[in-house]
Amino acid sequence: MRPISYSRVADVATAIGTVAADPGSTFLAGGTTEVDLQRIHVARSSRLVDINDLPLRRVEELPGGGVRIGAVARMSDVAQALPVRRRFPMVSQSLLLSASPQLRNMASIGGNLMQRTRCGYFRDVAAPCNKREPGTGCSAMHGVNRGHAVLGTSDRCIATHPSDLAVALVALDAVLLTQGPGGHRQIPADDFYLEPGQTPDREHPVAHGELVVAVEIPPLPMASTSIYLKVRDRESYEFALASAAVAVSLDAGVVTGVRLALGGIATKPWRARRAESVLVGAPATVESFRAAADAELAGAVSHGTNAYKIELARRTVVRALRTVTGDARMVSDDGNPP
Ligand code: SF4
């Protein structure tokens, strides 16, 4: 039995002050991951500070076409919010394809973005895990790693980042707004998530007591027809084996702009900048899409049973690009579907 104290706060300053003053404390929002981690002793907080009463639940339209989402807003509410559905359908889709309806009704946006990996060894306190206990080793490296990453890995950790929403936000150049003892910060989503390198226990640059208060998505007209494609073992309540968030603008069949990020295959939500640079100026054909996927995956490294993910990711990218460019019937020069 491990005693945990609980308090509920109603303003941001008190929440930050309470957590910052106690190294053993943690923010608690929807609790859909945090409570699990406390129960299995992966997280070992002595105090939980409930932030569900903070005034951070709104979804607001920003001038020029952007959106600001409060960190305590529920996943289901954000997925249904009209400005999100209309301006950034990839965000709405990424939320609706996550978890289950019950979890989406409870889980907060901030919690979704801060969620920990689903690597089974991370959640087994009897197993060596560099992310949970630095320096103990990585059980997945030569263990069960079918769901693990092929991009952004290191010799310390190959765990996949689990958030679907984060993939869409990275594609859209979203910015996370934080507030902490040191003041306010704005952190681009792509910088918020760190590759494991030699310190897989450090997953983001947020300090103890610093709270994600909102996410801002800047205007992007081509995102109004964007999509989030998720490939998984079953059609609901499952994490991605591979996913792609994509928006494209075309002029006379030529790609003039593209945003592409990948999930399920990397240690962080993966902005596919190599693929983007191949695509811009290229004709919107299956051959271009394949070349873009190949460029992005050229550096992929497998660890045995996750080797299939490289080809799966390639096909996911091509299919997402075909879908968003509006030609699902597109075939390659040899007449075969990609
Ligand atoms: Fe731990 Fe990362 Fe290895 Fe999983 S992949 S056991 S999280 S170090």
Side-chain angles (χ1 to χ4, degrees):
M1 186 77 125
R2 184 166 55 88
I4 301 177
S5 67
Y6 168 89
S7 57
R8 193 164 179 125
V9 293
D11 66 273
V12 173
T14 302
I16 291 167
T18 306
V19 172
D22 179 359
S25 61
T26 305
F27 297 114
L28 176 71
T32 54
T33 297
E34 186 62 37
V35 172
D36 287 352
L37 294 178
Q38 298 287 348
R39 280 187 175 139
I40 59 177
H41 306 293
V42 169
R44 300 185 61 82
S45 303
S46 54
R47 176 198 292 258
L48 296 176
V49 178
D50 189 325
I51 59 172
N52 285 296
D53 290 342
L54 301 187
L56 302 174
R57 288 209 182 207
R58 293 180 62 194
V59 178
E60 303 165 75
E61 299 187 50
L62 297 175
V67 168
R68 178 185 170 114
I69 302 168
V72 186
R74 271 27 192 178
M75 290 172 66
S76 50
D77 292 337
V78 176
Q80 299 300 342
L82 205 53
V84 174
R85 288 170 55 193
R86 201 161 44 202
R87 297 176 180 179
F88 306 105
M90 69 160 74
V91 171
S92 180
Q93 292 164 17
S94 72
L95 289 164
L96 292 173
L97 292 170
S98 301
S100 66
Q102 294 88 346
L103 288 167
R104 293 195 294 271
N105 287 340
M106 280 297 293
S108 70
I109 293 299
N112 180 289
L113 298 177
M114 295 288 286
Q115 67 182 292
R116 312 298 302 276
T117 181
R118 310 303 293 198
C119 173
Y121 300 110
F122 174 76
R123 288 168 175 254
D124 176 1
V125 293
C129 171
N130 287 324
K131 188 181 280 296
R132 178 173 29 78
E133 274 188 69
T136 56
C138 174
S139 299
M141 203 68 73
H142 302 289
V144 178
N145 56 33
R146 177 177 176 272
H148 286 67
V150 295
L151 288 172
T153 59
S154 75
D155 62 352
R156 298 293 172 98
C157 181
I158 58 172
T160 310
H161 193 275
S163 170
D164 295 297
L165 172 63
V167 178
L169 295 181
V170 164
L172 294 168
D173 282 341
V175 176
L176 278 71
L177 280 57
T178 73
Q179 194 174 330
H184 297 259
R185 290 205 290 167
Q186 297 189 2
I187 308 173
D190 199 18
D191 297 338
F192 187 82
Y193 296 103
L194 306 177
E195 291 184 26
Q198 297 303 297
T199 53
D201 53 308
R202 189 162 182 267
E203 298 176 332
H204 47 66
V206 172
H208 181 73
E210 188 173 8
L211 178 66
V212 175
V213 294
V215 179
E216 287 190 359
I217 308 175
L220 184 68
M222 68 175 165
S224 64
T225 55
S226 60
I227 65 159
Y228 183 74
L229 174 63
K230 179 173 181 177
V231 179
R232 45 188 166 169
D233 279 330
R234 58 185 179 193
E235 265 307 298
S236 73
Y237 197 23
E238 187 55 277
F239 291 90
L241 295 173
S243 69
V246 59
V248 174
S249 61
L250 298 175
D251 184 7
V254 173
V255 176
T256 54
V258 60
R259 297 290 184 84
L260 177 60
L262 308 178
I265 61 161
T267 52
K268 61 175 278 184
W270 193 262
R271 181 70 177 267
R273 295 189 191 280
R274 290 183 184 84
E276 289 179 354
S277 61
V278 168
L279 286 166
V280 173
T285 61
V286 169
E287 287 68 30
S288 299
F289 302 160
R290 281 180 177 162
D294 286 346
E296 196 61 50
L297 292 158
V301 177
S302 69
H303 290 80
T305 55
N306 66 349
Y308 74 97
K309 281 197 170 190
I310 300 173
E311 180 59 25
L312 184 65
R314 188 175 284 121
R315 293 181 187 211
T316 302
V317 167
V318 173
R319 188 170 135 207
L321 286 163
R322 285 176 60 210
T323 304
V324 82
T325 55
D327 193 350
R329 296 159 298 136
M330 191 180 288
V331 294
S332 60
D333 285 346
D334 59 13
N336 294 316

